[in-house]
Amino acid sequence: MSETIYRRMKDLPSTHLLGAGTAACAGCGGMQALHQIYDVFGDKTVFINAAGCMTLLSVYPFTPFSGSWLYSAMGSAPAGAQGVRDALDILLAKQRIPAEEDLSAVVLTGDGSAYGMGVSATSGAIDRNLDFLYICYDNEGYGNTGQQFSSATPHGAKTATSEGAAGYPGFKKDLFSLWVANKPAYVATVIGSEPLDLARKVEKAKQIKGPRLLLALAPCPTGWGFDPADSSAIGHLAVKTGIWPLKEYVDGRVVHNKIPRERLPVEDYLQKQQRFAHLFRPQRNEALLQEIQNRVDDYWDKVEPE
């Protein structure tokens, strides 16, 4: 698909499908992305929501979702999506509902589920070519239980369970490549601070059948340690420093949608967040800062110009 209806900011939806007044934290980057994804994808959906920050949105009998919502355990949201899809297909086959009342199965998880305990169920769903959209809001930790490290936590970040002088010793898992290795229908990275790029990818994902992933970096004021008003600015820095590549996998190839020709130093992004403060104070950890910069440079050195 080369044409898009989202050419300018004024083309974006002007009304929100997700209601206000939720329990989400102020400045939540996950909510910013979810609002935009939902507005473009539409309300003919059933959200299958794995335990995480976003399960706080619907507290019975209240819900901010315009459509249906189903709660699941952390590792089993794709299995729930299979059940929803099967039920809808049976109702359609028996003409219990007309085709125009069909709904899309949408999995909504955080990184704890998507990168970790939900991988097995996700792999199985892709193998079965399940027709579903998988949204991961990636705040790089177990956000709603106090920001313990997850498989998505970046190297060197301090979390509730990695408080040493060098922060988290592991490395962020490459979920994008993990999905691509399974050859699904569509995979894309997005971020709420880049709404046009996000809308175009949601538009594309909406028109494709099969397993599709939207992986949204979710700047987290409470877990990362920054002012909620700076959430979009942090998101812009993630893209401009090359920390968060905007890319997609479609028709069997990976395409980078925005290549930062003159990348900002990664420390411009890191020093805005309390979780990396130990890299700068009381003295700079030059070795670790350079290591993080080198990993970003190595990534982009392998990216061919489009």
Side-chain angles (χ1 to χ4, degrees), residues 149-191:
F149 73 77
S150 75
S151 300
T153 298
H155 188 56
K158 278 198 175 182
T159 72
T161 44
S162 48
E163 296 185 323
Y168 178 59
F171 295 90
K172 185 181 180 77
K173 185 183 292 182
D174 186 352
L175 186 64
F176 182 94
S177 295
L178 194 63
W179 266 72
V180 167
N182 285 273
K183 301 188 184 309
Y186 185 68
V187 184
T189 59
V190 297
I191 191 166

Side-chain angles (χ1 to χ4, degrees), residues 1 45 73 110 160 163 217 236 249 266 275-276 289 300 303-304:
M1 192 186 91
T45 54
E163 296 185 323
L217 184 66
H236 285 305
Y249 167 82
V266 292
R275 62 177 177 161
F276 294 110
L289 286 168
W300 287 104
V303 174
E304 296 182 2

Side-chain angles (χ1 to χ4, degrees), residues 204-228:
K204 191 176 295 184
K206 188 176 179 179
Q207 298 179 32
I208 296 174
K209 295 288 186 181
R212 293 148 287 163
L213 169 68
L214 292 174
L215 179 56
L217 184 66
C220 175
T222 53
W224 297 8
F226 61 83
D227 190 309

Side-chain angles (χ1 to χ4, degrees), residues 7-306:
R7 296 186 176 88
R8 297 162 295 182
M9 291 292 286
K10 70 177 186 179
D11 297 328
L12 298 174
S14 58
T15 57
H16 288 315
L17 294 177
L18 195 68
T22 71
C25 300
C28 172
M31 277 291 287
Q32 184 185 32
L34 178 59
H35 265 298
Q36 297 171 26
I37 293 170
Y38 197 16
D39 290 345
V40 175
F41 200 79
D43 62 355
K44 296 188 70 174
T45 54
V46 181
F47 278 91
I48 300 94
N49 196 169
C53 293
M54 296 305 171
T55 52
L56 302 177
L57 301 183
S58 287
V59 181
Y60 183 81
F62 305 105
T63 175
F65 291 93
S66 299
S68 298
W69 178 89
L70 176 69
Y71 174 82
S72 84
M74 289 192 74
S76 58
Q82 180 75 63
V84 168
R85 186 64 263 159
D86 289 349
L88 287 165
D89 288 342
I90 290 170
L91 291 173
L92 288 166
K94 292 185 174 181
Q95 298 184 330
R96 299 276 297 275
I97 60 171
E100 56 268 25
E101 291 186 12
D102 191 16
L103 302 171
S104 296
V106 180
V107 162
L108 177 62
T109 79
D111 50 279
S113 295
Y115 284 76
M117 60 189 79
V119 169
S120 176
T122 304
S123 179
I126 298 173
D127 289 347
R128 296 191 300 274
N129 197 36
L130 177 62
D131 182 22
F132 76 129
L133 177 67
Y134 192 120
I135 301 169
C136 172
Y137 54 95
D138 179 2
N139 64 8
E140 303 186 326
Y142 287 90
N144 74 328
T145 53
Q147 198 70 10
Q148 299 88 356
F149 73 77
S150 75
S151 300
T153 298
H155 188 56
K158 278 198 175 182
T159 72
T161 44
S162 48
E163 296 185 323
Y168 178 59
F171 295 90
K172 185 181 180 77
K173 185 183 292 182
D174 186 352
L175 186 64
F176 182 94
S177 295
L178 194 63
W179 266 72
V180 167
N182 285 273
K183 301 188 184 309
Y186 185 68
V187 184
T189 59
V190 297
I191 191 166
S193 58
E194 297 283 350
L196 274 178
D197 175 81
L198 182 150
R200 290 164 184 162
K201 289 171 176 171
V202 177
E203 180 187 30
K204 191 176 295 184
K206 188 176 179 179
Q207 298 179 32
I208 296 174
K209 295 288 186 181
R212 293 148 287 163
L213 169 68
L214 292 174
L215 179 56
L217 184 66
C220 175
T222 53
W224 297 8
F226 61 83
D227 190 309
D230 294 334
S231 190
S232 288
I234 296 289
H236 285 305
L237 284 171
V239 175
K240 289 179 179 178
T241 58
I243 287 278
W244 189 249
L246 293 175
K247 56 187 177 181
E248 59 186 345
Y249 167 82
V250 63
D251 298 330
R253 62 189 292 258
V254 175
V255 176
H256 285 78
N257 311 102
K258 180 174 286 190
I259 298 178
R261 303 293 178 188
E262 296 182 5
R263 294 193 310 276
L264 297 176
V266 292
E267 66 177 78
D268 288 5
Y269 170 78
L270 303 177
Q271 64 186 356
K272 300 288 187 184
Q273 305 168 48
Q274 188 62 32
R275 62 177 177 161
F276 294 110
H278 58 289
L279 302 184
F280 301 94
R281 300 184 294 274
Q283 59 188 21
R284 288 172 61 90
N285 188 333
E286 293 291 355
L288 190 46
L289 286 168
Q290 191 60 54
E291 180 185 351
I292 296 171
Q293 181 68 63
N294 288 345
R295 290 179 66 84
V296 173
D297 291 344
D298 288 346
Y299 175 89
W300 287 104
D301 285 347
K302 297 171 184 171
V303 174
E304 296 182 2
E306 300 295 337

